[in-house]
Amino acid sequence: MGSDNATGVFAFLLLVLSILYSAIITMRVRFYQWGFFRTHRLPCKVISIGNITLGGAGKTPMTIYLAKTLYRLGFRVVILSRGYKGQLEQSCSIITDGKTVFMDPETAGDEPYLMAEKLTGIPIVVGKNRYECGQLAIKKFTPQVILLDDAFQHLSLYRDINIVLMDFTRPLGNRHVLPRGLLREPAPNLDRSDLVILTRADIDHSHSLTVPYVGNKPVFRCRHEPDQLMHTDDNGSIVLFSPDKLTNQKVYAFSGIANNYDFVQMLSGLQYQITGSSGFDDHHNYSDLDLETIAANAQNSSAKFIVTTEKDYVKIVKKINWPLPMFALGIKLNFGLDSQKFESIIQSKMVT
């Protein structure tokens, strides 16, 4: 993870490493552009959803949003995901055929599993080699469009649309490449994008947007909003509630995502009374001790409920006997005034 607070010799060493890393990444991109490295094509439309920085710009909610949109428009859609930290990352495996989920979160990876639980009629295939996974998807499901989750840097597979997400509050981090900053590659490489989406943005007012290095390509804004609360009842069934179910209730929050602070702020915005919170690294693999500590902290804080993210919930809800009722708060995207325009551009690119 990049460092904003480094000073002195340490900052200089990080900067030198960033320059070296930037040079390596730039040459890798050029080798693909010059044809020294092969880019494979699939016989259908391919849309990549990715970002240029580390951290949670909202790729998974965007993938879900776009998959639902394309499915509603009548397209056969398949999602390809790396399955980061899942047991199938080095293989190509079908997580769901759009009807049945075949894997648990530990096997599939937390994000593919969450997408499989939230999407109906949309198969999901996981594996590091997106081309091989794409071939499997073509053979099994004959999709009209494949969505690549977190694939802006995955240059070995051709895509028809390159969507890049950027956090509106800090689109380029501190503008340094790893390890001095948060950029996965130099910012000028944004010129590979076809469409940019600024997440966590103000969508209530229309104003012009300028993003460096993207020229006249479309730029949209969206924000993350609370969706439904999810809870597992005594019969093991998932029950959904409005987020206001816990308004003014004492809640202990925990999460293992890229921006844990934002999650707690969202709960506070719903008028939940936060009695305490715990934050972990993104994709954290919770041990029983972690979960027992969370449960004890929640009880000691006088909370009446525990709230986490959907991504964390699916991994841990059945691991221990929780002493307090646990809920997961879902996230949805709202494009506001840009909603119809975004859909029209995606639809137009699907027929060209």
Coordinates of all heavy atoms in Angstrom, one line a residue, residues 147-209:
L147 N -18.3 -9.4 -18.7 CA -17.8 -8.4 -17.9 C -16.5 -8.9 -17.1 O -16.5 -9.9 -16.5 CB -18.8 -8.0 -16.8 CG -20.2 -7.5 -17.4 CD1 -21.0 -7.0 -16.2 CD2 -20.0 -6.4 -18.4
L148 N -15.4 -8.1 -17.2 CA -14.2 -8.4 -16.5 C -14.1 -7.6 -15.3 O -14.0 -6.4 -15.3 CB -13.0 -8.1 -17.4 CG -12.9 -8.8 -18.8 CD1 -11.6 -8.3 -19.5 CD2 -13.0 -10.3 -18.7
D149 N -14.2 -8.2 -14.1 CA -14.1 -7.5 -12.8 C -12.6 -7.3 -12.5 O -11.8 -8.2 -12.4 CB -14.8 -8.4 -11.8 CG -14.7 -7.7 -10.4 OD1 -14.8 -6.5 -10.3 OD2 -14.6 -8.4 -9.4
D150 N -12.3 -6.0 -12.3 CA -10.9 -5.6 -11.9 C -9.9 -6.0 -12.9 O -9.0 -6.8 -12.7 CB -10.6 -6.1 -10.5 CG -9.3 -5.5 -9.9 OD1 -8.8 -4.5 -10.5 OD2 -8.8 -6.0 -8.9
A151 N -10.0 -5.4 -14.1 CA -9.2 -5.9 -15.2 C -8.5 -4.8 -16.1 O -8.0 -5.1 -17.2 CB -10.0 -6.8 -16.2
F152 N -8.4 -3.6 -15.6 CA -7.8 -2.5 -16.3 C -6.4 -2.8 -16.7 O -5.8 -2.5 -17.7 CB -7.9 -1.2 -15.6 CG -7.4 0.0 -16.4 CD1 -8.0 0.3 -17.6 CD2 -6.4 0.8 -15.9 CE1 -7.6 1.4 -18.4 CE2 -6.0 1.9 -16.7 CZ -6.5 2.2 -17.9
Q153 N -5.7 -3.5 -15.7 CA -4.3 -3.9 -15.9 C -4.1 -5.3 -16.6 O -3.0 -5.7 -16.9 CB -3.5 -3.9 -14.6 CG -3.3 -2.5 -14.0 CD -4.5 -1.9 -13.4 OE1 -5.3 -2.5 -12.8 NE2 -4.6 -0.5 -13.5
H154 N -5.2 -6.0 -16.8 CA -5.1 -7.3 -17.4 C -5.1 -7.2 -19.0 O -6.2 -7.3 -19.6 CB -6.3 -8.2 -17.0 CG -6.1 -9.6 -17.3 ND1 -5.5 -10.5 -16.4 CD2 -6.5 -10.4 -18.3 CE1 -5.5 -11.7 -16.9 NE2 -6.1 -11.7 -18.1
L155 N -4.0 -6.9 -19.5 CA -3.9 -6.5 -20.9 C -3.8 -7.6 -21.9 O -3.9 -7.4 -23.1 CB -2.6 -5.6 -21.1 CG -2.5 -4.4 -20.2 CD1 -1.2 -3.6 -20.5 CD2 -3.7 -3.4 -20.5
S156 N -3.8 -8.9 -21.4 CA -3.7 -10.0 -22.3 C -5.0 -10.4 -22.9 O -5.1 -11.3 -23.8 CB -3.1 -11.2 -21.6 OG -3.9 -11.6 -20.5
L157 N -6.1 -9.7 -22.5 CA -7.4 -10.0 -23.1 C -8.0 -8.7 -23.6 O -8.1 -7.7 -22.9 CB -8.4 -10.6 -22.0 CG -9.8 -11.0 -22.5 CD1 -9.7 -12.0 -23.6 CD2 -10.6 -11.5 -21.3
Y158 N -8.3 -8.7 -24.9 CA -8.9 -7.6 -25.5 C -10.3 -7.2 -25.0 O -11.1 -8.1 -24.7 CB -9.0 -7.8 -27.0 CG -9.7 -6.6 -27.8 CD1 -8.9 -5.5 -28.2 CD2 -11.0 -6.7 -28.1 CE1 -9.5 -4.5 -28.9 CE2 -11.6 -5.6 -28.8 CZ -10.9 -4.5 -29.1 OH -11.5 -3.5 -29.8
R159 N -10.5 -5.9 -24.8 CA -11.9 -5.5 -24.4 C -12.4 -4.4 -25.3 O -11.6 -3.6 -25.8 CB -11.8 -5.0 -22.9 CG -11.1 -3.8 -22.6 CD -9.6 -3.9 -22.6 NE -9.0 -5.1 -21.9 CZ -8.8 -5.1 -20.7 NH1 -8.9 -4.1 -19.9 NH2 -8.3 -6.2 -20.1
D160 N -13.7 -4.4 -25.5 CA -14.4 -3.4 -26.4 C -14.6 -2.1 -25.6 O -14.6 -1.1 -26.3 CB -15.7 -4.0 -26.9 CG -15.5 -5.3 -27.7 OD1 -15.2 -5.1 -28.9 OD2 -15.6 -6.4 -27.1
I161 N -14.8 -2.2 -24.3 CA -15.0 -1.0 -23.5 C -14.2 -1.1 -22.2 O -14.2 -2.1 -21.5 CB -16.5 -0.9 -23.1 CG1 -17.4 -0.9 -24.3 CG2 -16.7 0.5 -22.4 CD1 -18.9 -0.9 -23.9
N162 N -13.4 -0.1 -22.0 CA -12.5 0.0 -20.8 C -13.1 1.0 -19.9 O -13.0 2.2 -20.1 CB -11.1 0.4 -21.2 CG -10.1 -0.6 -20.7 OD1 -10.3 -1.5 -19.9 ND2 -8.9 -0.5 -21.3
I163 N -13.8 0.5 -18.8 CA -14.4 1.5 -17.8 C -13.4 1.6 -16.6 O -13.0 0.6 -16.1 CB -15.7 0.9 -17.3 CG1 -16.7 0.9 -18.5 CG2 -16.3 1.8 -16.2 CD1 -18.1 0.3 -18.1
V164 N -13.1 2.8 -16.3 CA -12.2 3.0 -15.2 C -12.9 3.8 -14.1 O -13.5 4.8 -14.3 CB -10.9 3.8 -15.6 CG1 -10.1 4.1 -14.4 CG2 -10.1 3.0 -16.6
L165 N -12.9 3.2 -12.9 CA -13.5 3.9 -11.7 C -12.4 4.7 -10.9 O -11.3 4.2 -10.7 CB -14.1 2.9 -10.8 CG -15.1 1.9 -11.4 CD1 -15.7 1.0 -10.3 CD2 -16.2 2.6 -12.2
M166 N -12.8 5.9 -10.5 CA -11.9 6.7 -9.7 C -12.7 7.3 -8.6 O -13.8 7.8 -8.7 CB -11.3 7.8 -10.6 CG -10.6 7.3 -11.8 SD -10.0 8.6 -12.9 CE -8.6 9.3 -11.9
D167 N -12.1 7.3 -7.4 CA -12.7 7.9 -6.2 C -12.7 9.4 -6.3 O -11.7 10.0 -6.4 CB -12.0 7.4 -4.9 CG -12.7 7.8 -3.7 OD1 -13.4 8.9 -3.6 OD2 -12.6 7.1 -2.7
F168 N -13.9 10.0 -6.4 CA -14.0 11.4 -6.6 C -13.3 12.2 -5.5 O -12.8 13.3 -5.8 CB -15.5 11.8 -6.6 CG -15.8 13.3 -6.8 CD1 -15.7 13.8 -8.0 CD2 -16.1 14.1 -5.7 CE1 -16.0 15.2 -8.2 CE2 -16.3 15.4 -5.9 CZ -16.3 16.0 -7.2
T169 N -13.2 11.7 -4.3 CA -12.6 12.4 -3.2 C -11.1 12.4 -3.4 O -10.4 13.3 -2.8 CB -12.9 11.8 -1.9 OG1 -12.5 10.4 -1.8 CG2 -14.5 11.8 -1.7
R170 N -10.5 11.5 -4.1 CA -9.1 11.4 -4.3 C -8.7 10.6 -5.5 O -8.2 9.4 -5.4 CB -8.4 10.8 -3.0 CG -7.0 11.2 -2.8 CD -6.5 10.7 -1.5 NE -5.2 11.2 -1.2 CZ -4.3 10.5 -0.5 NH1 -4.6 9.3 -0.1 NH2 -3.1 11.0 -0.3
P171 N -9.0 11.1 -6.7 CA -9.0 10.2 -7.9 C -7.6 9.6 -8.2 O -7.5 8.5 -8.7 CB -9.4 11.2 -9.0 CG -9.2 12.6 -8.4 CD -9.5 12.4 -7.0
L172 N -6.5 10.3 -7.9 CA -5.2 9.8 -8.2 C -4.3 9.6 -7.0 O -3.1 9.5 -7.1 CB -4.5 10.8 -9.2 CG -5.1 10.9 -10.6 CD1 -4.4 12.0 -11.4 CD2 -5.2 9.6 -11.3
G173 N -5.0 9.5 -5.8 CA -4.2 9.3 -4.6 C -3.3 10.5 -4.4 O -3.7 11.7 -4.5
N174 N -2.0 10.3 -4.1 CA -1.0 11.3 -4.0 C -0.2 11.5 -5.3 O 0.8 12.1 -5.3 CB -0.1 11.0 -2.8 CG 0.7 9.8 -3.0 OD1 0.6 9.1 -4.0 ND2 1.5 9.4 -1.9
R175 N -0.7 10.9 -6.3 CA -0.2 11.0 -7.7 C 1.1 10.2 -7.9 O 1.7 10.3 -8.9 CB 0.0 12.5 -8.1 CG -1.3 13.2 -8.3 CD -1.1 14.6 -8.8 NE -2.4 15.2 -9.1 CZ -3.0 15.3 -10.3 NH1 -2.3 14.7 -11.3 NH2 -4.1 15.8 -10.6
H176 N 1.5 9.5 -6.9 CA 2.7 8.6 -7.0 C 2.3 7.2 -7.3 O 1.3 6.7 -6.8 CB 3.6 8.7 -5.7 CG 4.3 10.0 -5.5 ND1 5.3 10.4 -6.3 CD2 4.1 10.9 -4.5 CE1 5.7 11.6 -5.9 NE2 5.0 11.9 -4.8
V177 N 3.1 6.5 -8.0 CA 2.9 5.1 -8.3 C 3.4 4.3 -7.1 O 4.3 4.7 -6.3 CB 3.7 4.7 -9.6 CG1 3.6 3.2 -9.8 CG2 3.1 5.4 -10.8
L178 N 2.9 3.1 -6.9 CA 3.4 2.2 -5.9 C 4.9 2.1 -5.9 O 5.5 2.1 -7.0 CB 2.8 0.8 -6.1 CG 1.4 0.6 -5.9 CD1 0.9 -0.7 -6.5 CD2 1.1 0.6 -4.4
P179 N 5.6 2.0 -4.8 CA 5.0 1.9 -3.4 C 4.9 3.3 -2.7 O 4.4 3.4 -1.6 CB 6.0 1.0 -2.7 CG 7.3 1.4 -3.3 CD 7.0 1.6 -4.8
R180 N 5.3 4.4 -3.4 CA 5.3 5.7 -2.8 C 3.8 6.2 -2.8 O 3.5 7.0 -1.9 CB 6.2 6.7 -3.6 CG 6.2 8.1 -3.0 CD 6.8 8.2 -1.6 NE 6.8 9.5 -1.1 CZ 5.9 10.1 -0.4 NH1 4.7 9.4 -0.2 NH2 6.0 11.3 0.1
G181 N 3.0 5.8 -3.7 CA 1.6 6.2 -3.8 C 0.7 5.1 -4.0 O 1.0 3.9 -3.8
L182 N -0.5 5.4 -4.4 CA -1.6 4.4 -4.6 C -1.8 4.0 -6.0 O -2.6 3.1 -6.3 CB -2.9 5.0 -4.0 CG -2.9 5.3 -2.5 CD1 -4.2 5.9 -2.2 CD2 -2.7 4.0 -1.7
L183 N -1.1 4.7 -7.0 CA -1.4 4.4 -8.4 C -0.8 3.0 -8.7 O 0.4 2.7 -8.4 CB -0.7 5.4 -9.3 CG -1.4 6.8 -9.3 CD1 -0.5 7.8 -10.0 CD2 -2.8 6.7 -10.0
R184 N -1.6 2.2 -9.4 CA -1.1 0.9 -9.9 C -0.2 1.1 -11.1 O 0.6 0.2 -11.4 CB -2.3 0.0 -10.3 CG -3.2 -0.4 -9.1 CD -4.4 -1.2 -9.7 NE -5.1 -1.9 -8.6 CZ -6.1 -2.8 -8.8 NH1 -6.4 -3.1 -10.1 NH2 -6.7 -3.4 -7.8
E185 N -0.4 2.1 -11.8 CA 0.4 2.5 -13.0 C 0.4 4.0 -13.2 O -0.4 4.7 -12.6 CB -0.1 1.7 -14.2 CG -1.6 2.0 -14.5 CD -2.1 1.1 -15.7 OE1 -1.5 1.3 -16.8 OE2 -3.0 0.3 -15.6
P186 N 1.3 4.5 -14.0 CA 1.3 6.0 -14.2 C 0.0 6.5 -14.7 O -0.7 5.9 -15.5 CB 2.4 6.1 -15.3 CG 3.3 4.9 -15.1 CD 2.4 3.8 -14.8
A187 N -0.4 7.7 -14.2 CA -1.6 8.3 -14.5 C -1.9 8.5 -16.0 O -3.0 8.4 -16.4 CB -1.8 9.6 -13.7
P188 N -0.9 8.9 -16.8 CA -1.1 9.1 -18.2 C -1.7 7.8 -18.9 O -2.3 7.9 -20.0 CB 0.2 9.4 -18.8 CG 1.0 10.1 -17.6 CD 0.5 9.3 -16.4
N189 N -1.6 6.7 -18.3 CA -2.1 5.4 -18.9 C -3.7 5.4 -18.8 O -4.3 4.5 -19.4 CB -1.6 4.2 -18.1 CG -0.2 3.9 -18.5 OD1 0.5 4.6 -19.3 ND2 0.4 2.9 -17.8
L190 N -4.2 6.4 -18.2 CA -5.7 6.6 -18.2 C -6.2 6.8 -19.7 O -7.4 6.7 -20.0 CB -6.2 7.8 -17.4 CG -6.3 7.5 -15.9 CD1 -6.5 8.8 -15.2 CD2 -7.5 6.6 -15.6
D191 N -5.3 7.1 -20.6 CA -5.7 7.3 -22.0 C -6.2 6.0 -22.6 O -6.8 6.0 -23.7 CB -4.6 7.9 -22.8 CG -3.3 7.1 -22.9 OD1 -3.3 5.9 -22.4 OD2 -2.3 7.5 -23.5
R192 N -5.9 4.8 -21.9 CA -6.5 3.6 -22.4 C -8.0 3.4 -22.1 O -8.6 2.5 -22.7 CB -5.8 2.4 -21.8 CG -4.3 2.2 -22.1 CD -3.8 0.8 -21.9 NE -4.3 0.2 -20.6 CZ -3.6 0.3 -19.5 NH1 -2.5 1.0 -19.4 NH2 -4.1 -0.3 -18.4
S193 N -8.5 4.3 -21.2 CA -9.9 4.1 -20.8 C -10.8 4.6 -22.0 O -10.4 5.4 -22.8 CB -10.2 5.0 -19.6 OG -10.0 6.3 -19.9
D194 N -12.0 4.1 -22.0 CA -13.0 4.5 -22.9 C -14.1 5.3 -22.2 O -14.8 6.1 -22.8 CB -13.7 3.3 -23.6 CG -12.8 2.5 -24.4 OD1 -12.2 3.1 -25.4 OD2 -12.6 1.3 -24.1
L195 N -14.2 5.1 -20.9 CA -15.2 5.8 -20.1 C -14.8 5.8 -18.6 O -14.2 4.8 -18.1 CB -16.5 4.9 -20.2 CG -17.8 5.4 -19.7 CD1 -18.9 4.8 -20.5 CD2 -18.0 5.0 -18.2
V196 N -14.9 6.9 -18.0 CA -14.5 7.1 -16.6 C -15.7 7.4 -15.7 O -16.6 8.1 -16.1 CB -13.5 8.3 -16.4 CG1 -13.2 8.6 -15.0 CG2 -12.2 7.9 -17.2
I197 N -15.7 6.7 -14.5 CA -16.8 6.9 -13.6 C -16.1 7.4 -12.3 O -15.3 6.7 -11.7 CB -17.6 5.6 -13.3 CG1 -18.2 5.2 -14.6 CG2 -18.6 5.9 -12.2 CD1 -18.9 3.8 -14.5
L198 N -16.6 8.5 -11.8 CA -16.1 9.1 -10.5 C -17.1 8.6 -9.4 O -18.3 9.0 -9.4 CB -16.1 10.6 -10.6 CG -15.1 11.2 -11.6 CD1 -15.2 12.7 -11.6 CD2 -13.6 10.8 -11.2
T199 N -16.6 7.8 -8.6 CA -17.5 7.2 -7.5 C -17.4 8.1 -6.3 O -16.5 8.9 -6.1 CB -17.1 5.8 -7.1 OG1 -15.8 5.8 -6.6 CG2 -17.2 4.9 -8.4
R200 N -18.4 7.9 -5.3 CA -18.5 8.8 -4.1 C -18.6 10.2 -4.5 O -18.0 11.1 -3.8 CB -17.3 8.5 -3.2 CG -17.2 7.0 -2.7 CD -16.2 6.9 -1.6 NE -16.2 5.5 -1.1 CZ -15.4 4.5 -1.6 NH1 -14.6 4.8 -2.6 NH2 -15.5 3.3 -1.1
A201 N -19.3 10.5 -5.5 CA -19.3 11.9 -6.0 C -20.7 12.6 -5.7 O -21.7 11.9 -5.3 CB -19.1 11.9 -7.6
D202 N -20.7 13.9 -5.8 CA -22.0 14.6 -5.7 C -22.8 14.5 -7.0 O -22.4 14.9 -8.1 CB -21.6 16.1 -5.5 CG -22.9 17.0 -5.4 OD1 -24.0 16.5 -5.3 OD2 -22.7 18.2 -5.6
I203 N -23.9 13.8 -6.9 CA -24.7 13.6 -8.1 C -26.0 14.5 -8.2 O -26.8 14.4 -9.1 CB -25.2 12.1 -8.2 CG1 -26.1 11.8 -7.0 CG2 -24.0 11.2 -8.3 CD1 -26.8 10.4 -7.2
D204 N -26.1 15.3 -7.2 CA -27.3 16.2 -7.1 C -27.3 17.4 -7.9 O -28.3 18.1 -8.0 CB -27.6 16.5 -5.6 CG -27.9 15.2 -4.8 OD1 -28.6 14.3 -5.3 OD2 -27.5 15.2 -3.6
H205 N -26.1 17.8 -8.3 CA -25.9 19.0 -9.1 C -25.1 18.7 -10.4 O -24.1 18.0 -10.3 CB -25.2 20.1 -8.2 CG -25.8 20.4 -6.9 ND1 -25.5 19.7 -5.8 CD2 -26.8 21.3 -6.6 CE1 -26.3 20.2 -4.8 NE2 -27.1 21.1 -5.3
S206 N -25.6 19.3 -11.4 CA -25.0 19.1 -12.7 C -23.9 20.1 -12.9 O -24.1 21.3 -12.8 CB -26.0 19.2 -13.9 OG -25.4 19.0 -15.1
H207 N -22.7 19.6 -13.2 CA -21.6 20.6 -13.5 C -20.5 19.8 -14.3 O -20.5 18.6 -14.4 CB -20.9 21.1 -12.2 CG -20.6 20.0 -11.2 ND1 -19.5 19.2 -11.3 CD2 -21.2 19.6 -10.1 CE1 -19.4 18.4 -10.3 NE2 -20.5 18.6 -9.5
S208 N -19.7 20.6 -15.1 CA -18.8 20.0 -16.0 C -17.7 19.3 -15.1 O -17.3 19.7 -14.1 CB -18.1 21.0 -16.9 OG -17.5 22.0 -16.1
L209 N -17.1 18.2 -15.7 CA -16.1 17.4 -15.0 C -14.9 17.3 -15.9 O -15.0 17.0 -17.1 CB -16.6 16.0 -14.7 CG -17.8 15.9 -13.7 CD1 -18.4 14.5 -13.7 CD2 -17.4 16.3 -12.4

